[in-house]
Amino acid sequence: MASVELHGVPPDVLEKIRALEEELNEGDITQQGFEKKKAKLLAPYLTISDGTGSLGSNSSGRSSSPQPPAYVEHDSHQHHVESHARSAMVQAALERNRHEHGPELQPMSFRRNTGGLVPLLSVSPSPSSEALSQESRGSSFGGGGGSGSLTHGVAPPTAPKPRRAPARPQNVEGMTGGGGGPGAAKGGVSHKIQQLLNTLKRPKKNRRPIEEYFRDEDIAEARPAEDPSAPRPVGPTMQPVSGVPLESRQDWHRNLEAAIQHHSSTLGKHPAISVVDSHGKASVACTYSKLALRSQKVAHFLLNKLGGGKQIQPGDRVALVFRNDEAATFASAFWGCLYAAIIPVAIHPPLSRDDPGGQQIGFLLNSLGVTVAITSDTTVKSLPKEEGKDFIIHFKGWPRLTWFSIDHLPKPSRDFTPPPRPSPDTTAYIEFTTAKDGSALGVTVTRGALLTHCRSLTTACQYKEGEVVVCTEDPKRSIGLWHGIMAAAYNGLHVVFVPPTVMATLPTVWLHMITKQKATSVISSSHSISACISLSQHKEMRDLKLDNVRMILLDDGVNPWSLASSDMFFEAFTVKGLNREALCPCAGSPETLTLSLRRPSPNTPSGRGVMSISGLSYGVVRVEEPGSITSLTLQDVGLVMPGARVAVIKINGLPYLCKTDEVGEICVQTTAAGSTYWGLQGKSTNTFKVDPIDENDRIIQGGYVRSGLLGFVGEGGLLFVCGNMNGLIQIGNRRHNTEDLIATVMAVEPHGFIYKGRIAIFSVTVLKEERVVVVAEQKPNCTDEVAFTWMNSVVPAAESIHGIYLYGIVLVGHGKLPKYPDGTVHVQDTRAKFMEGSLHPVNLLMCPYQCINNLPVPKSPPPNISGAAQIIGDLVTGRTNQAVAAPLSGGGSDETDGPSFDFLSDALQWRAVNRADDILYTQVDSRGHTVKSITTLQLHKKAERIGACLIEKAKLNSGDHAALVYSPSLELIAAIYGCLYVGVVPVVVKPPAPSNLSGSLPAMKLTVELSNARAILTAHNLAKILKSKEASQVIDVKSLPNILETDELPKKKLDKFYKPPTPELIAYLDFAVSTTGVLSGVKITHAAVLSMCRAHRYCSELYPSRDIALCLDPYSGLGLVLWCFSGVYAGHTTVLINPYDLEVNPMLWLTVLSSGKIRDTYCSYSVVDLCMRELGNSIESLQSKNINLSSLRSCVIVSEERPRTQLITSFSTLFGIVGLPSRAVSAAFGCRVNPMICFQGPRQPESSSVYVDSRALRLDRMVVLEKGAPYSMCLTESAKIVNGCQIVIVNPETKTPCAHTEIGEIWVSCIHNGIGYYGLKDSVNDSLTQEHFKATLVGGIDMTATYARTGYLGFMMPSASRDEAHDAVNNLFVIGSVDESLTVRGYRYHPVDLEATVIRCHKNIINGVVFTSNKLLVVVAELNGDENEALDLVPVITTSLLEEHQVVAGIVVVADPGTIPINSRGEKQRIHLRDTFLADEMDPIYVAYNL
């Protein structure tokens, strides 16, 4: 272990360093110059050595003459003063870490500006040959990996630029990307990802063996493994230690009220309380006679003159709300309550409606039944008021309080007598305190305990009547209340209060008060004394005299790091007459009151010990070598208070007594302690009625009280405190004190980068273990480079010194940390804001790979089941993962208005002759008005003209391909039938968007090229765009085939209509982008088209008089079938709604449904989502416009994905208010190989839902759970299987049928399957066609049947309903795409589940996408908020994915709304987004590389 020692640093060198620091504070020298000069001055005295500090056996570790720290950093807001020796130790540890691993380039953060993404840092730790953690277990990316100690970690992105106006871009159809090698340039995203992988490959110290990783079902019961090398206590059991007996004196006052009355008569005009103002002048606030009179006024007022309809009886509780500079008024109110036998509860005045911790205080006041608040005029003026009004606002979570000022109270009447004095065991007052989780607690202190405590303090502190005491602490709580108010009134002291507001501007004023007032005692803290050290040589300190000070009581002596400030303060002011014995640390808590105190006497024993931080983390006292980087010097906090008895018990489990060299919780047995937590009986019993157990299992009676302080008893009965329970963080078997961690963090260079008193360290529970988070305030004008350098140094410093890996480091702006009204950091509120994502960091670094080491590992996969065994198992259980739907009736038996048709062209020709005037299609505009309708005859004639144009102008023959580039319109339908009339194969292509030619034109051109189209049919407006100059700048327009405009064609009839020789010929090519990002076409035959139309008509019961409405894209899949073919086949009227018009008029779709009384409608998820988003808050507006959806019997959402259960349920519930039937909404399922596999008809049973185990899904298993069970996830059936389809669930790797509890790939055998791919290379076409469209089973009953592989995973479940043949029906549940699923540590995750977690974790995330790149999970989240809130998303996303799915987010990208490309069906184009990100073309707001 490396250690640093400073040998014999001369005083003149220390003085030079102090002078340098003053130059730095005044701006005369830069930070870098300061560090260089300081290092040069200390270099001759600095020694770095390697070795392990010796561990003592069972010594208390006291040292009689410890070496004082060489140098201390000073700051006016400092709470934890750290020496330069400590800083040198930390830097030595970092230097050794650098030496072991060496420098290496690491992923750099991104800054978005007008020039693109700008890298900031380039320093990181070295790589290692060891593979990524857990990669050996088949990980797709390093889910639980981590690196060792880092000198420089990964640099997160920088502070974002001002928010630009978000614009919702048009839907983007993805296309194959990555051309040119994404991120090929040095410094690109791909290069940075590889650098991050190299960092994560480094070995991590102190990791558990792989065998000890928790399995999925065991993670909740996981317990850290026992460390065989951990030190263990070896000393004998420490018996309780008693203080000196509390003597009974004749001059003791019988109670506090009697003491005040006595002093009012003997010291009537003697000052009781003085307060120092902002000019440093002390004015007498009240004498003892005034204090007694004012107290009686308050008592009389509370009992008789309260007014406002309020009546208070003895025993009621009231709130005392006073500022810290109103000590005299508060004292009058406090003693007045005691006179009236009313219980006071002192709290800080809230600064705003949403003060940190304000709700918890409100909860306490509610539980106490407080309805009256006593305050002063000054406090009332400072409280926030209602806007435009003169009364105090109602604070969030608080009860309705009536506020009363006691500044101008009348004298009590002569006949006023206080109520009878309550018994000693009744409650005197309630002191507010906070639990570790931030909840507010009220500690009740009885009158007997108050009196005993005052007597105990009098004995220990040797107070004398008339003595002057200077107090810098809050008079309403803790040591300020106990000494400055209670003990002072009991002993007749004159207390000079120095408010914190005065201390902030005049840090040495309390020292001047000692001289002016000839004070002999001081109530202060290390914070106050440290602020004066650097000012000890100033000229205004020349007349300072401290030789009369006998006691400086240090409130935070329990802070181990206050020792440095004590030593430095003594060294600085010993020339002013200060005695070392005057520095008296003490310990106490609201539960135990004062626990121990170093007596202000020259003969009082004191002790120090250099302890091992590592040993203390294991709860063991071990001696460490002075100067070691893992050493901690402790000072005692004095002897046990008179009349008290102290025991040290184990922290966890039963309250067994600790051994002499063991750290435990300090408990005290005394009558001068709190009695209960108000209203919390169970918690009170555990805290205030503890009976320790000795080594022989004998219970030590007496009722001890837990102090919440951690420590041990040294030689001579000296008490040592090394932490507290609220600041304890347990990592594995080790417990770390936040004060120790803060000291280490503050010692990391560069110094002066963060405020030393504005730092919070806490733990968050992730995967059942505590993880450490550091939050600090960054000083203004600090560069991001400095911030990242500092954060990247903190990570290895914490690992090297404390052996822990930080979960996250967060830097917030100046003044942004939540604070109490007195200015101290509110740790619990900081933690809550971190967890909910509302801290608004300016910089952060998350380290999940490094910190998380208990990710679950999968079980060994079960052996494959043979085909024969599968058949037997299905027969025995009566369940199967196969389904055969009833065949569709053929011929004309299913037709009601015409003969059977072999081809759709025949259907149109027949209808043109026999039903010429029937309206087939009606198109509406964005206002809902009908702009165009077309009858069967008009459609037939228009198709004839287009067919003639193809033959005469384009010179196409039957079998040639033509690209149809139209907007969603009637012209598209006519063009398709024109192609069918002449035997040309139509290819429907989405037209280019005029606003995005650079993105949409290449996609259109690629489709035309891959389809081998010999002509392009389009409308005049689109042809103009294709031939424009702007288009020629994007693509080579001359390379396009002949462009034909079909708007105004001459009337012409065809000589003959083409009739295919067989229905198995290609009818059209269905081009779309697959889930893998590949653009290709699927060949759809005439028989398949006719089969889908027949199935649609059968399911939906369609006939010529029926009207349906379509609001989806007509360019591929089932949308193309519904737009162009189904209406001609069944003869019904189809109302066409352009889905892009909904962006202009969100009510368009619902308006058309209501006004036309439509019975059946078909849409996409994007339409449903838009209605929810835009109309969710406009239901009343819809009702006012008479929107009524009660006539709707079916609303089918066309999709190629798992049904979105939550969206469907929310849509049905929300628009049920305007009449939407609850069972009308369903989701159809189709895919590339078969557009129509599942379809819900109005007569069919409602789609069923099932709750399954989400953990089992990761292992491709289906386990049914009850609703609400842990890990349960709701899945909805993908409608009903279309008649004529045979479904089988198959293992995609072995091609064997799956058992009924297995999840496998959905294979379908159906007449309307596609017959192959088109648009790929011939060899690829043939191989993929054979694999995807002509697959056969390896096992099972029928191994000769051919199936089409959908590429989607799912399972079957038997339904309660039966088909027309009364056979059992299996329901199909789709899980997700095989190609899009993510394999992590052997588990299969589906993006939709991870994305749902991402979207749900923060209110400002409106959309999210996940994908993998080079074994790292990349999360892209769209931010709906200001850019300064972008960094809030990173911690909540990282934590949510770990908690819900046990996966690590390697890269978190925060982007603008609309960044995620979505196709016309509302489906996310993940592959397209991945290619955009890797090619550095995304322009994100923030990119965080998690370490």
Side-chain angles (χ1 to χ4, degrees):
M1 178 180 296
S3 63
V4 178
E5 298 180 3
L6 290 173
H7 299 283
V9 181
D12 60 330
V13 174
L14 297 179
E15 189 61 33
K16 290 179 181 179
I17 295 177
R18 292 192 182 99
L20 283 176
E21 186 189 36
E22 291 186 5
E23 293 181 14
L24 176 64
N25 293 334
E26 295 174 0
D28 296 335
I29 188 174
T30 64
Q31 179 73 40
Q32 186 176 7
F34 169 75
E35 299 297 342
K36 287 182 177 179
K37 292 184 178 181
K38 183 192 73 175
K40 186 177 180 180
L41 289 171
L42 291 176
Y45 315 100
L46 184 64
T47 302
I48 303 177
S49 60
D50 288 333
T52 304
S54 60
L55 298 176
S57 56
N58 52 352
S59 169
S60 65
R62 296 198 301 127
S63 174
S64 59
S65 57
Q67 177 69 29
Y71 187 71
V72 178
E73 286 278 352
H74 311 302
D75 188 278
S76 60
H77 301 282
Q78 180 176 5
H79 282 271
H80 315 286
V81 179
E82 180 51 67
S83 66
H84 278 291
R86 182 72 182 177
S87 177
M89 297 171 190
V90 172
Q91 300 310 317
L94 296 177
E95 185 61 34
R96 193 181 77 167
N97 193 288
R98 257 191 300 269
H99 178 72
E100 290 178 357
H101 300 290
E104 185 216 352
L105 290 177
Q106 174 120 345
M108 296 175 288
S109 59
F110 286 142
R111 179 197 301 276
R112 188 173 74 174
N113 58 18
T114 55
L117 301 179
V118 180
L120 292 180
L121 296 181
S122 59
V123 183
S124 78
S126 62
S128 170
S129 58
E130 182 178 330
L132 271 173
S133 176
Q134 305 191 33
E135 188 175 355
S136 59
R137 297 193 293 276
S139 131
S140 175
F141 66 90
S147 61
S149 305
L150 302 182
T151 299
H152 294 281
V154 58
T158 60
K161 69 172 187 178
R163 182 73 167 174
R164 65 182 184 184
R168 189 77 190 179
Q170 296 189 4
N171 292 338
V172 179
E173 291 285 0
M175 53 182 290
T176 181
K186 184 176 181 179
V189 171
S190 296
H191 180 65
K192 299 178 189 302
I193 292 175
Q194 188 57 50
Q195 291 175 339
L196 181 57
L197 288 173
N198 292 338
T199 302
L200 298 179
K201 288 178 181 179
R202 297 178 52 215
K204 187 163 88 170
K205 301 177 182 178
N206 304 324
R207 286 193 67 95
R208 302 175 192 170
I210 287 179
E211 294 77 16
E212 296 178 7
Y213 278 64
F214 308 132
R215 298 190 181 279
D216 221 11
E217 68 274 14
D218 300 330
I219 189 169
E221 291 78 28
R223 292 293 181 270
E226 192 75 17
D227 187 357
S229 63
R232 291 175 173 80
V234 295
T237 301
M238 170 61 71
Q239 298 301 321
V241 178
S242 300
V244 298
L246 182 60
E247 60 182 4
S248 177
R249 291 164 37 181
Q250 293 293 331
D251 57 347
W252 285 141
H253 302 290
R254 65 182 183 276
N255 52 61
L256 271 298
E257 297 92 327
I260 295 176
Q261 291 298 329
H262 171 76
H263 297 314
S264 66
S265 59
T266 60
L267 302 172
K269 296 185 178 180
H270 187 83
I273 296 175
S274 298
V275 179
V276 178
D277 61 18
S278 58
H279 301 289
K281 295 182 179 180
S283 57
V284 177
C286 70
T287 61
Y288 272 100
S289 59
K290 289 184 177 179
L291 178 62
L293 178 61
R294 291 177 183 177
S295 299
Q296 293 175 3
K297 287 181 179 180
V298 172
H300 177 258
F301 174 74
L302 291 175
L303 294 176
N304 301 294
K305 300 292 184 179
L306 198 59
K310 297 291 181 180
Q311 290 186 353
I312 294 183
Q313 301 298 326
D316 290 345
R317 279 74 55 198
V318 298
L320 304 188
V321 187
F322 293 93
R323 302 192 326 180
N324 290 342
D325 57 356
E326 297 179 300
T329 312
F330 167 75
S332 301
F334 182 85
W335 295 120
C337 289
L338 263 64
Y339 270 120
I342 293 172
I343 303 173
V345 185
I347 58 175
H348 288 292
L351 302 179
S352 65
R353 188 187 300 271
D354 300 316
D355 255 5
Q359 283 186 284
Q360 291 296 329
I361 297 177
F363 172 79
L364 176 62
L365 295 179
N366 276 296
S367 65
L368 292 172
V370 174
T371 59
V372 172
I374 303 301
T375 184
S376 66
D377 292 344
T378 305
T379 301
V380 168
K381 292 179 182 179
S382 65
L383 291 173
K385 308 296 192 303
E386 292 286 353
E387 186 175 357
K389 299 179 180 179
D390 199 25
F391 53 84
I392 301 170
I393 64 173
H394 175 65
F395 299 103
K396 190 175 181 180
W398 284 35
R400 293 287 179 181
L401 298 179
T402 304
W403 297 81
F404 294 98
S405 173
I406 61 171
D407 282 348
H408 308 286
L409 297 180
K411 289 184 179 181
S413 58
R414 294 183 179 181
D415 57 348
F416 169 70
T417 57
R421 185 167 293 106
S423 61
D425 58 349
T426 58
T427 301
Y429 74 99
I430 295 176
E431 185 161 352
F432 163 77
T433 186
T434 305
K436 184 175 182 179
D437 61 357
S439 57
L441 304 173
V443 179
T444 62
V445 180
T446 64
R447 289 178 170 266
L450 189 154
L451 182 62
T452 306
H453 188 219
C454 290
R455 291 174 176 176
S456 178
L457 292 178
T458 301
T459 302
C461 299
Q462 303 171 17
Y463 286 131
K464 305 295 183 183
E465 187 178 76
E467 184 177 356
V468 179
V469 179
V470 174
C471 181
T472 64
E473 301 304 294
D474 185 358
K476 300 187 298 297
R477 60 184 302 273
S478 189
I479 193 173
L481 175 64
W482 304 337
H483 290 261
I485 301 297
M486 298 177 182
Y490 188 80
N491 292 281
L493 308 179
H494 174 202
V495 184
V496 180
F497 281 96
V498 185
T501 53
V502 177
M503 290 288 294
T505 56
L506 302 172
T508 61
V509 67
W510 65 280
L511 293 174
H512 293 285
M513 288 298 108
I514 295 175
T515 303
K516 293 180 181 179
Q517 301 289 338
K518 297 182 180 180
T520 56
S521 300
V522 178
I523 312 300
S524 188
S525 64
S526 63
H527 163 60
S528 299
I529 65 175
S530 64
C532 304
I533 299 173
S534 61
L535 304 175
S536 61
Q537 302 300 323
H538 285 202
K539 58 182 180 180
E540 64 267 16
M541 309 290 282
R542 293 175 182 173
D543 299 331
L544 201 64
K545 292 183 180 181
L546 303 179
D547 51 356
N548 59 325
V549 177
R550 64 179 185 85
M551 179 183 71
I552 299 180
L553 200 61
L554 298 178
D555 180 26
D556 55 357
V558 297
N559 173 12
W561 303 100
S562 66
L563 177 60
S565 58
S566 300
D567 290 341
M568 292 299 298
F569 181 78
F570 172 73
E571 292 178 3
F573 291 97
T574 184
V575 296
K576 305 297 182 182
L578 180 66
N579 297 316
R580 180 177 289 276
E581 294 79 11
L583 297 174
C584 300
C586 64
S589 68
E591 291 81 3
T592 61
L593 304 183
T594 305
L595 183 67
S596 65
L597 185 148
R598 186 186 294 176
R599 308 301 191 262
S601 172
N603 300 323
T604 299
S606 62
R608 296 189 181 191
V610 182
M611 303 300 167
S612 167
I613 293 180
S614 176
L616 291 176
S617 68
Y618 285 105
V620 179
V621 180
R622 290 292 181 266
V623 177
E624 185 67 278
E625 292 183 354
S628 170
I629 65 173
T630 59
S631 66
L632 173 65
T633 304
L634 295 179
Q635 67 174 340
D636 71 283
V637 290
L639 298 171
V640 180
M641 292 295 291
R645 196 179 188 202
V646 163
V648 182
I649 64 174
K650 293 185 180 294
I651 298 174
N652 296 328
L654 295 175
Y656 279 94
L657 291 174
C658 291
K659 296 183 179 180
T660 54
D661 59 341
E662 185 177 5
V663 176
E665 184 176 7
I666 302 173
C667 299
V668 63
Q669 181 190 47
T670 179
T671 56
S675 56
T676 62
Y677 291 126
W678 181 275
L680 301 174
Q681 183 177 356
K683 191 174 182 66
S684 298
T685 302
N686 183 58
T687 302
F688 296 93
K689 298 179 181 180
V690 180
D691 294 326
I693 306 173
D694 64 12
E695 69 276 15
N696 298 319
D697 291 338
R698 291 178 301 187
I699 297 177
I700 302 175
Q701 301 290 343
Y704 285 73
V705 179
R706 295 178 184 267
S707 68
L709 301 177
L710 302 176
F712 56 93
V713 179
E715 295 180 1
L718 293 175
L719 200 62
F720 288 82
V721 176
C722 56
N724 61 79
M725 294 294 292
N726 284 356
L728 199 64
I729 299 176
Q730 180 156 351
I731 309 294
N733 290 313
R734 303 178 65 181
R735 302 180 186 93
H736 303 272
N737 184 18
T738 54
E739 300 289 348
D740 302 340
L741 296 174
I742 289 174
T744 298
V745 170
M746 299 310 305
V748 174
E749 294 182 354
H751 298 304
F753 165 67
I754 63 173
Y755 291 104
K756 295 184 178 180
R758 306 179 192 177
I759 182 170
I761 295 183
F762 51 85
S763 65
V764 295
T765 303
V766 181
L767 295 185
K768 309 300 180 183
E769 287 194 2
E770 292 189 63
R771 320 291 176 177
V772 180
V773 178
V774 178
V775 182
E777 272 192 20
Q778 175 180 314
K779 288 187 177 180
N781 304 322
C782 287
T783 64
D784 294 319
E785 288 84 354
V786 175
F788 297 136
T789 301
W790 182 83
M791 289 190 294
N792 297 330
S793 298
V794 169
V795 174
E799 189 276 329
S800 299
I801 296 175
H802 300 278
I804 62 173
Y805 297 98
L806 299 180
Y807 180 63
I809 305 175
V810 180
L811 297 177
V812 298
H814 172 70
K816 298 301 182 181
L817 266 181
K819 299 181 182 67
Y820 288 104
D822 63 356
T824 57
V825 176
H826 196 301
V827 178
Q828 293 83 7
D829 197 65
T830 303
R831 180 183 182 276
K833 288 180 178 294
F834 172 82
M835 295 295 293
E836 71 183 18
S838 57
L839 261 183
H840 306 330
V842 294
N843 286 298
L844 64 81
L845 172 62
M846 298 297 296
C847 311
Y849 279 109
Q850 181 173 251
C851 179
I852 306 296
N853 62 357
N854 65 329
L855 293 170
V857 297
K859 296 178 179 179
S860 300
N864 293 326
I865 304 173
S866 64
Q870 180 65 57
I871 295 172
I872 295 174
D874 291 343
L875 292 175
V876 172
T877 60
R879 299 178 64 180
T880 179
N881 243 339
Q882 301 185 39
V884 180
L888 284 171
S889 53
S893 61
D894 67 324
E895 301 292 339
T896 60
D897 65 332
S900 65
F901 306 116
D902 293 328
F903 305 98
L904 278 175
S905 57
D906 295 343
L908 180 58
Q909 295 170 40
W910 182 87
R911 293 192 181 279
V913 174
N914 297 280
R915 295 187 175 275
D917 296 330
D918 285 358
I919 297 178
L920 285 181
Y921 295 98
T922 297
Q923 189 165 10
V924 297
D925 60 11
S926 60
R927 295 175 295 177
H929 300 160
T930 300
V931 293
K932 191 180 296 185
S933 296
I934 192 168
T935 64
T936 54
L937 181 60
Q938 291 171 338
L939 180 60
H940 169 70
K941 290 182 177 180
K942 190 170 184 65
E944 273 193 298
R945 292 196 292 268
I946 293 175
C949 177
L950 289 172
I951 295 175
E952 297 177 0
K953 290 187 178 181
K955 308 298 182 183
L956 299 186
N957 300 316
S958 60
D960 289 340
H961 299 173
L964 278 55
V965 183
Y966 291 93
S967 59
S969 61
L970 299 177
E971 285 74 14
L972 171 62
I973 302 172
I976 283 184
Y977 284 96
C979 293
L980 295 179
Y981 276 1
V982 296
V984 174
V985 178
V987 182
V988 180
V989 183
K990 187 174 183 179
S995 60
N996 185 26
L997 291 179
S998 60
S1000 55
L1001 263 179
M1004 187 213 75
K1005 181 176 181 293
L1006 181 61
T1007 306
V1008 172
E1009 292 175 349
L1010 293 178
S1011 64
N1012 293 324
R1014 294 187 54 195
I1016 295 178
L1017 300 183
T1018 187
H1020 173 71
N1021 60 331
L1022 292 174
K1024 187 176 180 181
I1025 293 175
L1026 295 177
K1027 298 175 183 179
S1028 66
K1029 182 179 179 181
E1030 290 80 5
S1032 62
Q1033 296 174 351
V1034 178
I1035 62 172
D1036 183 9
V1037 178
K1038 296 181 180 179
S1039 63
L1040 294 176
N1042 189 18
I1043 299 176
L1044 301 178
E1045 301 178 18
T1046 61
D1047 300 82
E1048 301 293 338
L1049 293 177
K1051 294 182 180 180
K1052 187 124 185 178
K1053 290 188 176 181
L1054 290 173
D1055 297 332
K1056 63 176 182 178
F1057 295 95
Y1058 173 79
K1059 188 165 186 177
T1062 171
E1064 300 304 323
L1065 288 183
I1066 300 175
Y1068 68 94
L1069 293 179
D1070 187 352
F1071 266 84
V1073 180
S1074 69
T1075 55
T1076 58
V1078 178
L1079 178 65
S1080 62
V1082 174
K1083 294 181 276 189
I1084 305 296
T1085 64
H1086 291 275
V1089 175
L1090 210 63
S1091 176
M1092 285 186 282
C1093 293
R1094 186 181 294 116
H1096 178 220
R1097 183 204 163 276
Y1098 178 81
C1099 292
S1100 300
E1101 302 174 343
L1102 298 177
Y1103 43 85
S1105 61
R1106 177 77 70 192
D1107 291 349
I1108 70 170
L1110 300 180
C1111 188
L1112 42 78
D1113 266 357
Y1115 298 112
S1116 64
L1118 187 57
L1120 175 58
V1121 175
L1122 297 177
W1123 262 76
C1124 302
F1125 302 124
S1126 182
V1128 172
Y1129 177 83
H1132 57 266
T1133 300
T1134 304
V1135 180
L1136 303 178
I1137 305 172
N1138 190 334
Y1140 302 111
D1141 288 342
L1142 266 68
E1143 296 184 1
V1144 179
N1145 180 12
M1147 292 186 183
L1148 172 62
W1149 178 46
L1150 300 182
T1151 302
V1152 172
L1153 297 180
S1154 176
S1155 61
K1157 299 187 182 301
I1158 302 296
R1159 301 278 288 165
D1160 303 279
T1161 184
Y1162 307 89
C1163 63
S1164 62
Y1165 276 119
S1166 60
V1167 172
V1168 175
D1169 184 64
L1170 185 143
C1171 289
M1172 289 290 294
R1173 187 174 62 251
E1174 300 294 335
L1175 304 178
N1177 298 323
S1178 306
I1179 298 299
E1180 294 182 357
S1181 177
L1182 293 177
Q1183 292 175 321
S1184 65
K1185 295 182 179 181
N1186 298 321
I1187 300 296
N1188 191 334
L1189 304 179
S1190 59
S1191 62
L1192 199 64
R1193 63 172 186 167
S1194 68
C1195 174
V1196 180
I1197 303 174
V1198 177
S1199 66
E1200 296 184 9
E1201 59 179 286
R1202 180 201 303 179
R1204 303 183 190 177
T1205 305
Q1206 185 175 0
L1207 180 60
I1208 293 174
T1209 303
S1210 301
F1211 180 77
S1212 301
T1213 303
L1214 179 63
F1215 292 98
I1217 301 175
V1218 291
L1220 178 65
S1222 59
R1223 57 161 299 183
V1225 185
S1226 62
F1229 172 68
C1231 61
R1232 298 281 291 126
V1233 300
N1234 188 324
M1236 191 176 181
I1237 298 175
C1238 298
F1239 200 90
Q1240 189 77 18
R1243 286 195 312 172
Q1244 293 173 314
E1246 186 177 358
S1247 296
S1248 59
S1249 297
V1250 64
Y1251 288 86
V1252 298
D1253 191 338
S1254 60
R1255 299 175 302 172
L1257 288 182
R1258 305 171 191 169
L1259 298 171
D1260 290 337
R1261 294 289 185 271
M1262 187 275 295
V1263 177
V1264 179
L1265 298 177
E1266 293 292 333
K1267 180 179 180 181
Y1271 306 104
S1272 62
M1273 181 175 68
C1274 182
L1275 295 178
T1276 301
E1277 171 195 6
S1278 297
K1280 305 301 178 184
I1281 300 174
V1282 172
N1283 290 51
C1285 287
Q1286 179 179 353
I1287 303 294
V1288 60
I1289 307 299
V1290 182
N1291 187 312
E1293 298 177 358
T1294 63
K1295 299 183 180 180
T1296 58
C1298 292
H1300 66 274
T1301 58
E1302 288 184 293
I1303 295 174
E1305 186 180 8
I1306 301 170
W1307 288 17
V1308 57
S1309 177
C1310 182
I1311 191 174
H1312 50 260
N1313 282 354
I1315 61 173
Y1317 286 120
Y1318 191 93
L1320 305 175
K1321 295 182 179 179
D1322 293 339
S1323 58
V1324 177
N1325 265 333
D1326 295 340
S1327 63
L1328 289 181
T1329 296
Q1330 185 68 30
E1331 180 182 356
H1332 290 176
F1333 293 89
K1334 300 178 181 179
T1336 57
L1337 295 173
V1338 173
I1341 298 177
D1342 188 359
M1343 293 186 290
T1344 60
T1346 59
Y1347 295 87
R1349 303 180 61 172
T1350 63
Y1352 285 84
L1353 297 173
F1355 63 89
M1356 292 284 196
M1357 281 196 68
S1359 172
S1361 60
R1362 295 181 177 272
D1363 61 12
E1364 296 176 354
H1366 303 289
D1367 294 328
V1369 176
N1370 274 354
N1371 296 334
L1372 177 64
F1373 291 84
V1374 177
I1375 302 299
S1377 169
V1378 177
D1379 295 327
E1380 288 189 332
S1381 63
L1382 315 174
T1383 303
V1384 183
R1385 302 185 318 278
Y1387 289 95
R1388 188 195 300 275
Y1389 290 91
H1390 297 278
V1392 62
D1393 298 324
L1394 302 180
E1395 290 162 2
T1397 297
V1398 170
I1399 297 172
R1400 189 172 56 247
C1401 73
H1402 197 279
K1403 62 181 180 180
N1404 286 343
I1405 299 178
I1406 58 174
N1407 208 350
V1409 156
V1410 300
F1411 52 83
T1412 55
S1413 178
N1414 293 339
K1415 301 181 180 180
L1416 294 172
L1417 180 67
V1418 182
V1419 180
V1420 180
E1422 291 184 351
L1423 171 66
N1424 183 26
D1426 294 332
E1427 287 193 8
N1428 60 7
E1429 301 174 358
L1431 278 72
D1432 285 324
L1433 308 187
V1434 179
V1436 293
I1437 289 175
T1438 304
T1439 303
S1440 298
L1441 290 176
L1442 280 167
E1443 281 287 281
E1444 295 190 26
H1445 303 282
Q1446 294 83 56
V1447 294
V1448 180
I1451 302 174
V1452 180
V1453 182
V1454 183
D1456 289 310
T1459 298
I1460 297 174
I1462 300 174
N1463 65 15
S1464 56
R1465 296 183 297 275
E1467 299 162 350
K1468 301 170 184 177
Q1469 302 294 286
R1470 300 179 179 91
I1471 305 301
H1472 178 66
L1473 183 66
R1474 182 195 66 184
D1475 295 339
T1476 303
F1477 174 67
L1478 296 179
D1480 292 333
E1481 298 173 355
M1482 183 184 290
D1483 187 25
I1485 299 174
Y1486 196 96
V1487 181
Y1489 292 92
N1490 287 343
L1491 186 61

